[in-house]
Amino acid sequence: MIKIRAPELYRDSGAYEARKRQSLRARYIYGLIFFATNLLAWFIRDYGAKLLGGLHHIPVCGAGDSKCFRSGGVLRVSLGCFIFFWVMFATTFGTRKLQGVRNSWHSGCWTLKFLVYAVSIVTPFIIPNIFIQLYGEIARMGAGIFLILQLISMLHLISWCNKRWMPYAGSNQCGLFGLFLSTVSFIASFAGILVLYILYVPNSSCMFNIFTIIWTAVLVKIMMAVSLHSKVNEGLLSSGIMGSYIVFLCWSALHSEPRTGKCYTEMKIGKDGNWATIISFIIAICSIVSATFSTGINNRSFQFRSDKIQLEEDAPYSYEIFHIVFAVGAMYFAMLFISWELNHPITRKWSIDVGWASTWVKIMNEWLAFCIYGKPPFPVVSMQLY
């Protein structure tokens, strides 16, 4: 974006800078709210029935644990989070300037917003269960949309890295750092494939795992070959980073296989195996929040043009895109906590995103990433929306 300072705003530049800093800080507060909501969903799923027994007296909850605890509790907390960020989306839609009520509402008024958040979280616990089940079906689609948005954001990052560190025709740039990153990315990709084979193929009967790992290796080699083709000739950096990403998706898919499977190798650290599980769970929650936050703040990935002139008084990012990403992110974390299963969810304590449904979602996401990346005329560039 091209930034210019309007002459008539010189004297107000200090006020605009203060508002801009306040707006940028607000993103982290929303991120903390989202993180706290993830923890609340986990708490209600694993410990709600034991520690929040008073909810059984609410008519819609009844005597069982499935409607307001376990998977039902996760969906209700997710719906509350979705309502909050949808309200923020609706009330900040079209905000383009730092002055005005809507900008102040986005960046401040936290006492009132925490009240809105509390009402949003409580409201789903008085909604009949049939509407919660309907929300669960919608949340599946919303979570799929979130994965696509995350993929677009990832491709935008790869394109930026390729333009930043790889030389283009007619330039004097040597591109040594880009070559170094390319080498590291491909070494990491193929080393990762080898590690996956060691961890997730304990015997020759694990044909599904063998096929998934080998097919991932084939996809990485295809991307390398496409990037080096004479009609493309864009270097190895973009394909190297994308290769590492799909290897990560392959690991995530295999790690989501049911723990009772014959091909699952449980890794324990001595007598502290439970601690390893807890640490893995915390890392998973942080990854959800990080993915949602990074996708929400990467507004340029979802803009149709980048040549718009930005004045000093303009908002530093799109508030409505930021909030709508967090809204669908609420649907996404619900699917991870119930493993994409609405009727027979796997809700073991300290587990997240485990089951065959989760595995296939990630495999399909890996294949989709490859297909979008390799779309002609050139990988990554064809996915830019601006």
Side-chain angles (χ1 to χ4, degrees):
M1 283 190 177
I2 304 171
K3 295 185 180 181
I4 64 172
R5 176 176 292 179
E8 65 273 12
L9 298 179
Y10 279 151
R11 54 183 153 181
D12 296 328
S13 61
Y16 287 136
E17 286 298 324
R19 291 171 185 166
K20 183 175 295 186
R21 287 194 298 270
Q22 185 183 28
S23 175
L24 294 173
R25 285 196 299 266
R27 300 180 303 178
Y28 298 99
I29 301 178
Y30 289 116
L32 289 174
I33 292 174
F34 189 79
F35 177 72
T37 308
N38 276 257
L39 294 180
L40 177 62
W42 156 74
F43 175 79
I44 289 181
R45 187 197 70 173
D46 288 359
Y47 299 101
K50 187 178 298 184
L51 301 178
L52 299 176
L55 290 180
H56 287 298
H57 300 294
I58 300 177
V60 298
C61 293
D65 293 341
S66 62
K67 294 182 179 179
C68 288
F69 305 107
R70 303 190 186 280
S71 61
V74 170
L75 289 175
R76 291 177 190 274
V77 173
S78 169
L79 176 57
C81 185
F82 174 82
I83 291 173
F84 172 74
F85 282 105
W86 182 263
V87 169
M88 294 305 305
F89 163 78
T91 53
T92 60
F93 184 83
T95 304
R96 296 292 180 266
K97 303 297 180 182
L98 288 171
Q99 70 269 26
V101 177
R102 287 185 297 176
N103 179 76
S104 300
W105 165 244
H106 169 81
S107 305
C109 305
W110 291 107
T111 302
L112 180 57
K113 274 190 288 196
F114 281 125
L115 178 61
V116 173
Y117 173 79
V119 172
S120 301
I121 292 296
V122 171
T123 299
F125 285 88
I126 60 175
I127 294 177
N129 191 58
I130 186 173
F131 293 105
I132 300 300
Q133 291 299 313
L134 177 61
Y135 169 76
E137 297 291 346
I138 297 174
R140 277 180 171 173
M141 296 183 289
I145 293 173
F146 177 83
L147 288 174
I148 294 175
L149 294 178
Q150 186 181 20
L151 178 57
I152 293 174
S153 179
M154 181 66 185
L155 292 175
H156 178 268
L157 173 64
I158 293 174
S159 178
W160 179 86
C161 292
N162 197 63
K163 291 180 179 179
R164 173 83 175 180
W165 291 310
M166 293 302 292
Y168 53 89
S171 70
N172 296 323
Q173 185 180 2
C174 62
L176 286 179
F177 186 67
L179 180 61
F180 171 76
L181 285 182
S182 304
T183 304
V184 170
S185 297
F186 276 110
I187 291 176
S189 298
F190 289 110
I193 290 171
L194 179 61
V195 171
L196 290 179
Y197 198 88
I198 294 173
L199 292 180
Y200 296 101
V201 186
N203 55 72
S204 59
S205 64
C206 300
M207 296 305 298
F208 176 80
N209 289 5
I210 293 174
F211 169 78
T212 302
I213 295 171
I214 292 177
W215 184 244
T216 299
V218 171
L219 296 182
V220 173
K221 294 189 70 173
I222 291 175
M223 288 191 296
M224 177 191 295
V226 169
S227 294
L228 292 177
H229 194 277
S230 59
K231 293 184 178 180
V232 177
N233 194 27
E234 289 291 337
L236 294 173
L237 180 58
S238 60
S239 58
I241 298 176
M242 194 63 185
S244 300
Y245 181 64
I246 67 170
V247 170
F248 166 77
L249 291 177
C250 179
W251 166 80
S252 185
L254 296 177
H255 190 68
S256 294
E257 289 182 358
R259 301 297 189 250
T260 56
K262 61 181 180 180
C263 298
Y264 174 74
T265 304
E266 187 173 4
M267 293 178 290
K268 292 187 177 181
I269 307 175
K271 297 181 179 180
D272 298 326
N274 291 333
W275 282 107
T277 302
I278 294 173
I279 293 173
S280 176
F281 176 82
I282 294 173
I283 292 175
I285 289 185
C286 292
S287 298
I288 297 171
V289 177
S290 177
T292 308
F293 184 80
S294 59
T295 304
I297 64 176
N298 191 10
N299 296 159
R300 292 190 63 191
S301 300
F302 316 113
Q303 294 176 354
F304 288 94
R305 52 183 301 183
S306 60
D307 57 346
K308 180 182 177 182
I309 297 176
Q310 185 179 28
L311 300 175
E312 189 180 28
E313 62 180 354
D314 290 342
Y317 56 95
S318 174
Y319 298 160
E320 61 263 30
I321 292 178
F322 178 82
H323 290 300
I324 201 65
V325 167
F326 271 81
V328 294
M331 295 180 170
Y332 177 65
F333 84 66
M335 291 298 103
L336 296 189
F337 275 108
I338 66 174
S339 301
W340 299 82
E341 294 281 358
L342 295 177
N343 297 323
H344 303 287
I346 302 174
T347 56
R348 293 172 56 241
K349 286 185 178 181
W350 298 102
S351 69
I352 186 169
D353 204 19
V354 175
W356 285 115
S358 298
T359 298
W360 276 107
V361 166
K362 293 175 180 180
I363 290 176
M364 296 303 294
N365 191 30
E366 175 190 339
W367 295 350
L368 177 64
F370 169 78
C371 292
I372 294 178
Y373 175 86
K375 182 181 178 182
F378 167 62
V380 178
V381 171
S382 60
M383 265 307 298
Q384 293 184 34
L385 300 180
Y386 59 90

